Amino acid sequence: MKLQLPTYTVLIAFVLLISGCATTGTSDSNGSDTTDVIEVHDPSLSLADYIRRAGGVSVHNIDGQTRIRIRGNLSFNSTSDPLFVVDGVRSGNDYDRVENLVPLDYIQSIRVLKGTEASSRFGLAASSGAIIITTKRYSDQI
């Protein structure tokens, strides 16, 4: 005796299988892919002071150069400095360059991307995280 399933039963099983696979996410349960947004209000503070407010970010001054590290993002093969993105334009991994490029008065918000979120948005250049700076002028245009 051969078992025959109606066509609609097979179709329903297929749809359930596909929708179940589509909704299964790969989210990290330890919270390493978090995003911190810091609003800039006080121009008497430095850019490093604002970045330091994000959780898991450390700011050090070594031999006159400011170094920023995002927790858990250390690399032996590439730079451990996060990628800086100013108004959607990649500005490299050098904090001092970015600090001289954008006056603090112009900055509206700073967003720190950690983990795979930074890498998925900006590729290998952001393997150590990304710091996204949005200026007041740019936020008014979008």
Side-chain angles (χ1 to χ4, degrees), residues 8 110 113 124:
Y8 66 88
I110 301 166
L113 297 181
L124 185 60

Side-chain angles (χ1 to χ4, degrees), residues 13-32:
F14 181 72
V15 169
L16 289 175
L17 176 69
I18 296 298
S19 65
C21 291
T23 58
T24 302
T26 58
S27 69
D28 193 3
S29 63
N30 66 5
S32 65

